[in-house]
Coordinates of all heavy atoms in Angstrom, one line a residue:
W128 N 7.7 -11.6 18.1 CA 9.0 -11.7 17.5 C 10.0 -10.6 18.2 O 11.1 -10.4 17.5 CB 9.0 -11.6 16.1 CG 8.4 -12.9 15.4 CD1 7.1 -13.1 15.1 CD2 9.1 -14.1 15.2 NE1 6.9 -14.3 14.6 CE2 8.1 -15.0 14.7 CE3 10.4 -14.6 15.4 CZ2 8.5 -16.3 14.3 CZ3 10.7 -15.9 15.1 CH2 9.7 -16.7 14.5
A129 N 9.6 -10.0 19.2 CA 10.5 -9.1 19.8 C 11.7 -9.8 20.4 O 12.9 -9.4 20.2 CB 9.8 -8.3 21.0
T130 N 11.5 -11.0 20.9 CA 12.6 -11.8 21.5 C 12.2 -13.2 21.2 O 11.0 -13.5 20.9 CB 12.8 -11.7 22.9 OG1 11.7 -12.1 23.7 CG2 13.2 -10.2 23.3
K131 N 13.2 -14.1 21.2 CA 12.9 -15.5 21.0 C 13.9 -16.3 21.9 O 15.1 -16.2 21.8 CB 13.2 -15.9 19.5 CG 12.8 -17.5 19.3 CD 13.0 -17.9 17.9 CE 12.8 -19.4 17.7 NZ 13.0 -19.8 16.3
K132 N 13.3 -17.0 22.9 CA 14.2 -17.7 23.8 C 15.2 -16.8 24.6 O 16.3 -17.1 24.7 CB 14.9 -18.9 23.2 CG 13.9 -20.0 22.7 CD 14.7 -21.2 22.1 CE 13.7 -22.2 21.6 NZ 14.5 -23.4 20.9
G133 N 14.7 -15.7 24.9 CA 15.4 -14.6 25.7 C 16.4 -13.8 24.8 O 17.1 -13.0 25.4
Q134 N 16.4 -14.1 23.5 CA 17.4 -13.3 22.6 C 16.6 -12.3 21.8 O 15.5 -12.7 21.3 CB 18.2 -14.3 21.7 CG 19.0 -15.3 22.5 CD 20.1 -14.6 23.3 OE1 20.8 -13.7 22.9 NE2 20.2 -15.0 24.6
V135 N 17.2 -11.2 21.6 CA 16.5 -10.1 20.8 C 16.5 -10.5 19.4 O 17.6 -11.0 18.8 CB 17.2 -8.8 21.0 CG1 16.6 -7.7 20.1 CG2 17.1 -8.3 22.5
V136 N 15.4 -10.5 18.7 CA 15.3 -10.9 17.3 C 15.9 -9.9 16.4 O 16.5 -10.3 15.2 CB 13.9 -11.2 17.0 CG1 13.7 -11.6 15.5 CG2 13.4 -12.5 17.9
F137 N 15.6 -8.6 16.6 CA 16.1 -7.6 15.7 C 17.2 -6.8 16.3 O 17.0 -5.9 17.0 CB 15.0 -6.7 15.3 CG 13.8 -7.4 14.7 CD1 12.6 -7.7 15.5 CD2 13.8 -7.9 13.4 CE1 11.6 -8.4 14.9 CE2 12.7 -8.6 12.9 CZ 11.6 -8.9 13.7
P138 N 18.4 -7.3 16.1 CA 19.6 -6.9 17.0 C 20.1 -5.4 16.8 O 20.7 -4.9 17.7 CB 20.7 -7.9 16.5 CG 20.4 -8.3 15.1 CD 18.9 -8.3 15.1
N139 N 19.7 -4.8 15.7 CA 20.1 -3.4 15.5 C 19.1 -2.4 15.7 O 19.2 -1.3 15.4 CB 20.7 -3.3 14.1 CG 21.9 -4.2 13.9 OD1 22.8 -4.2 14.8 ND2 22.0 -4.8 12.7
A140 N 17.9 -2.9 16.2 CA 16.7 -2.0 16.4 C 16.6 -1.3 17.7 O 16.9 -1.9 18.7 CB 15.4 -2.8 16.1
T141 N 16.1 -0.1 17.7 CA 15.5 0.4 18.9 C 14.1 0.2 18.9 O 13.3 0.2 18.1 CB 15.8 2.0 18.9 OG1 17.2 2.3 18.7 CG2 15.2 2.7 20.1
Y142 N 13.7 -0.3 20.2 CA 12.3 -0.6 20.5 C 11.5 0.5 21.2 O 12.1 1.1 22.2 CB 12.2 -1.9 21.3 CG 12.7 -3.1 20.6 CD1 14.0 -3.4 20.3 CD2 11.8 -4.0 20.2 CE1 14.5 -4.5 19.6 CE2 12.2 -5.2 19.4 CZ 13.6 -5.4 19.2 OH 14.0 -6.5 18.5
R143 N 10.4 0.8 20.8 CA 9.6 1.9 21.4 C 8.2 1.5 21.7 O 7.5 0.8 20.9 CB 9.7 3.1 20.4 CG 11.0 3.6 20.1 CD 11.0 4.9 19.3 NE 12.3 5.6 19.2 CZ 13.2 5.3 18.2 NH1 13.0 4.3 17.4 NH2 14.3 5.9 18.2
V144 N 7.7 2.1 22.8 CA 6.3 1.8 23.2 C 5.9 2.9 24.2 O 6.8 3.6 24.7 CB 6.2 0.4 23.9 CG1 6.8 0.4 25.2 CG2 4.7 -0.1 24.0
H145 N 4.6 3.1 24.4 CA 4.1 4.1 25.4 C 4.5 3.7 26.7 O 4.5 2.5 27.1 CB 2.6 4.3 25.2 CG 2.1 5.6 25.9 ND1 2.0 5.6 27.3 CD2 1.8 6.8 25.5 CE1 1.6 6.8 27.7 NE2 1.6 7.5 26.5
R146 N 5.0 4.6 27.5 CA 5.4 4.4 28.9 C 4.4 3.7 29.7 O 4.7 2.7 30.5 CB 5.9 5.7 29.5 CG 6.3 5.6 31.0 CD 7.5 4.8 31.2 NE 7.7 4.5 32.6 CZ 8.7 3.7 33.0 NH1 9.5 3.0 32.1 NH2 8.9 3.4 34.2
A147 N 3.1 4.0 29.6 CA 2.1 3.4 30.4 C 1.9 1.9 30.1 O 1.6 1.3 31.1 CB 0.7 4.1 30.1
D148 N 2.2 1.5 28.9 CA 2.1 0.0 28.7 C 3.3 -0.7 29.3 O 3.2 -1.8 29.8 CB 2.0 -0.3 27.2 CG 0.6 -0.7 26.8 OD1 -0.4 -0.2 27.4 OD2 0.5 -1.7 25.9
W149 N 4.5 -0.1 29.1 CA 5.7 -0.8 29.8 C 5.5 -0.9 31.3 O 5.8 -2.0 31.9 CB 6.9 0.1 29.4 CG 8.2 -0.8 29.8 CD1 8.9 -0.6 30.9 CD2 8.8 -1.8 29.0 NE1 10.0 -1.4 30.9 CE2 9.9 -2.2 29.8 CE3 8.5 -2.4 27.8 CZ2 10.8 -3.2 29.3 CZ3 9.3 -3.4 27.4 CH2 10.5 -3.8 28.1
A150 N 4.9 0.1 31.9 CA 4.7 0.0 33.3 C 3.6 -0.9 33.7 O 3.8 -1.8 34.6 CB 4.2 1.4 33.8
H151 N 2.6 -1.0 32.8 CA 1.5 -2.0 33.1 C 1.9 -3.5 33.0 O 1.6 -4.3 33.8 CB 0.4 -1.7 32.2 CG -0.8 -2.6 32.4 ND1 -1.8 -2.4 33.4 CD2 -1.3 -3.6 31.6 CE1 -2.7 -3.4 33.3 NE2 -2.5 -4.1 32.2
F152 N 2.6 -3.8 31.9 CA 2.9 -5.1 31.5 C 4.2 -5.6 32.2 O 4.4 -6.8 32.3 CB 2.9 -5.3 30.0 CG 1.6 -5.3 29.4 CD1 1.0 -4.2 28.9 CD2 0.8 -6.5 29.3 CE1 -0.2 -4.1 28.3 CE2 -0.5 -6.4 28.8 CZ -1.0 -5.3 28.2
V153 N 5.2 -4.7 32.4 CA 6.6 -5.2 32.6 C 7.0 -4.8 34.0 O 7.7 -5.5 34.7 CB 7.6 -4.7 31.5 CG1 9.0 -5.3 31.9 CG2 7.1 -5.2 30.2
E154 N 6.8 -3.4 34.4 CA 7.4 -3.0 35.6 C 6.5 -2.8 36.8 O 6.9 -2.7 37.9 CB 8.0 -1.6 35.3 CG 9.3 -1.7 34.3 CD 9.9 -0.3 34.2 OE1 9.2 0.7 34.5 OE2 11.1 -0.3 33.7
G155 N 5.1 -2.7 36.5 CA 4.2 -2.4 37.6 C 3.9 -3.6 38.5 O 4.4 -4.7 38.3
P156 N 3.3 -3.3 39.6 CA 2.9 -4.4 40.6 C 2.1 -5.5 40.0 O 2.2 -6.7 40.5 CB 2.2 -3.6 41.8 CG 1.7 -2.4 41.1 CD 2.7 -2.0 40.1
G157 N 1.4 -5.2 39.0 CA 0.5 -6.2 38.3 C 1.1 -6.8 37.1 O 0.4 -7.3 36.2
A158 N 2.4 -6.7 37.0 CA 3.1 -7.0 35.7 C 2.8 -8.5 35.4 O 2.7 -9.3 36.3 CB 4.6 -6.8 35.8
E159 N 2.7 -8.8 34.1 CA 2.4 -10.2 33.7 C 3.7 -11.0 33.6 O 4.6 -10.6 32.8 CB 1.6 -10.2 32.5 CG 0.3 -9.5 32.6 CD -0.6 -9.4 31.3 OE1 -0.1 -10.0 30.3 OE2 -1.6 -8.8 31.2
P160 N 3.8 -12.1 34.2 CA 5.1 -12.9 34.0 C 5.5 -13.2 32.6 O 6.7 -13.1 32.4 CB 4.8 -14.2 34.9 CG 3.7 -13.7 35.9 CD 2.9 -12.7 35.2
G161 N 4.5 -13.6 31.8 CA 4.8 -13.9 30.5 C 5.5 -12.7 29.7 O 6.4 -12.8 28.9
A162 N 4.8 -11.5 29.9 CA 5.3 -10.3 29.3 C 6.7 -9.9 29.8 O 7.6 -9.4 29.1 CB 4.4 -9.1 29.5
V163 N 6.9 -10.1 31.2 CA 8.2 -9.9 31.8 C 9.3 -10.6 31.1 O 10.4 -10.2 30.7 CB 8.2 -10.0 33.2 CG1 9.6 -9.9 33.8 CG2 7.2 -9.0 33.9
R164 N 9.1 -11.9 30.9 CA 10.0 -12.8 30.3 C 10.3 -12.4 28.8 O 11.4 -12.4 28.4 CB 9.5 -14.3 30.3 CG 9.6 -14.9 31.8 CD 9.4 -16.4 31.6 NE 8.1 -16.8 31.1 CZ 7.0 -16.9 31.8 NH1 7.0 -16.7 33.1 NH2 5.8 -17.2 31.2
K165 N 9.2 -12.1 28.1 CA 9.4 -11.8 26.8 C 10.0 -10.6 26.4 O 10.8 -10.4 25.6 CB 7.9 -11.8 26.1 CG 7.8 -11.3 24.7 CD 8.6 -12.1 23.7 CE 7.9 -13.4 23.4 NZ 8.6 -14.2 22.3
L166 N 9.7 -9.5 27.3 CA 10.1 -8.1 26.9 C 11.3 -7.6 27.7 O 11.9 -6.7 27.3 CB 8.9 -7.3 27.2 CG 7.7 -7.6 26.3 CD1 6.5 -6.7 26.7 CD2 8.0 -7.3 24.8
S167 N 11.6 -8.2 28.9 CA 12.8 -7.7 29.7 C 14.1 -7.6 28.9 O 14.9 -6.7 29.1 CB 12.9 -8.5 31.0 OG 11.9 -8.3 31.8
P168 N 14.4 -8.5 28.0 CA 15.7 -8.5 27.2 C 15.7 -7.2 26.4 O 16.8 -6.9 25.9 CB 15.6 -9.8 26.4 CG 14.8 -10.8 27.1 CD 13.7 -9.8 27.8
L169 N 14.7 -6.5 26.2 CA 14.7 -5.3 25.4 C 15.1 -4.1 26.1 O 15.3 -3.0 25.6 CB 13.3 -5.0 24.8 CG 12.6 -6.0 24.0 CD1 11.2 -5.6 23.6 CD2 13.5 -6.4 22.7
T170 N 15.2 -4.2 27.5 CA 15.4 -3.0 28.3 C 16.6 -2.1 27.9 O 16.4 -0.8 27.9 CB 15.7 -3.4 29.8 OG1 14.5 -4.2 30.2 CG2 15.8 -2.2 30.7
D171 N 17.7 -2.6 27.5 CA 18.8 -1.9 27.2 C 18.7 -1.1 25.9 O 19.5 -0.2 25.5 CB 20.2 -2.7 27.1 CG 20.5 -3.2 28.5 OD1 20.0 -2.6 29.5 OD2 21.3 -4.2 28.5
R172 N 17.7 -1.5 25.1 CA 17.5 -0.8 23.8 C 16.2 -0.3 23.6 O 15.7 0.0 22.5 CB 17.9 -1.8 22.6 CG 16.9 -3.1 22.6 CD 17.4 -4.1 21.6 NE 18.7 -4.7 22.0 CZ 19.7 -4.8 21.2 NH1 19.7 -4.5 20.0 NH2 20.8 -5.3 21.6
L173 N 15.5 0.0 24.8 CA 14.1 0.4 24.8 C 14.1 2.0 25.0 O 14.8 2.5 25.8 CB 13.4 -0.2 25.9 CG 12.0 0.2 26.2 CD1 11.1 -0.4 25.1 CD2 11.5 -0.1 27.6
E174 N 13.2 2.6 24.2 CA 12.9 4.0 24.5 C 11.3 4.1 24.5 O 10.6 3.6 23.7 CB 13.3 4.9 23.2 CG 14.8 5.0 23.1 CD 15.2 6.0 22.1 OE1 14.4 6.6 21.4 OE2 16.5 6.1 21.7
T175 N 10.9 4.7 25.7 CA 9.5 4.9 25.9 C 9.0 6.3 25.6 O 9.9 7.2 25.6 CB 9.0 4.5 27.3 OG1 9.7 5.4 28.2 CG2 9.3 3.0 27.6
F176 N 7.9 6.5 25.3 CA 7.3 7.9 25.0 C 6.0 8.1 25.8 O 5.3 7.2 26.2 CB 7.1 8.2 23.5 CG 6.2 7.1 22.9 CD1 4.8 7.3 22.8 CD2 6.7 6.0 22.2 CE1 4.0 6.3 22.2 CE2 5.9 5.1 21.6 CZ 4.6 5.2 21.6
E177 N 5.7 9.4 26.1 CA 4.4 9.6 26.8 C 3.6 10.6 25.9 O 2.4 10.3 25.5 CB 4.7 10.1 28.2 CG 5.3 9.1 29.1 CD 5.4 9.5 30.5 OE1 4.4 9.6 31.2 OE2 6.6 9.8 30.9
A178 N 4.1 11.8 25.7 CA 3.4 12.7 24.9 C 3.4 12.3 23.4 O 4.4 11.6 23.0 CB 4.1 14.2 25.0
D179 N 2.4 12.6 22.7 CA 2.3 12.4 21.2 C 3.5 13.0 20.6 O 3.9 14.1 20.9 CB 1.0 12.8 20.6 CG -0.2 12.0 21.1 OD1 0.0 10.9 21.7 OD2 -1.3 12.4 20.9
T180 N 4.2 12.2 19.7 CA 5.4 12.6 19.2 C 5.6 12.1 17.8 O 4.9 11.2 17.3 CB 6.6 12.1 20.1 OG1 7.8 12.8 19.7 CG2 6.7 10.7 20.1

Side-chain angles (χ1 to χ4, degrees):
W128 289 96
T130 64
K131 183 179 180 182
K132 296 182 178 180
Q134 300 299 311
V135 175
V136 173
F137 304 103
N139 299 318
T141 299
Y142 290 76
R143 295 182 174 88
V144 70
H145 195 281
R146 175 66 190 168
D148 251 38
W149 191 259
H151 179 79
F152 286 95
V153 183
E154 291 183 344
E159 299 181 5
V163 173
R164 287 193 301 272
K165 170 64 71 171
L166 298 172
S167 290
L169 304 180
T170 301
D171 292 342
R172 60 190 69 227
L173 178 75
E174 293 184 5
T175 60
F176 54 86
E177 293 186 75
D179 289 347
T180 188

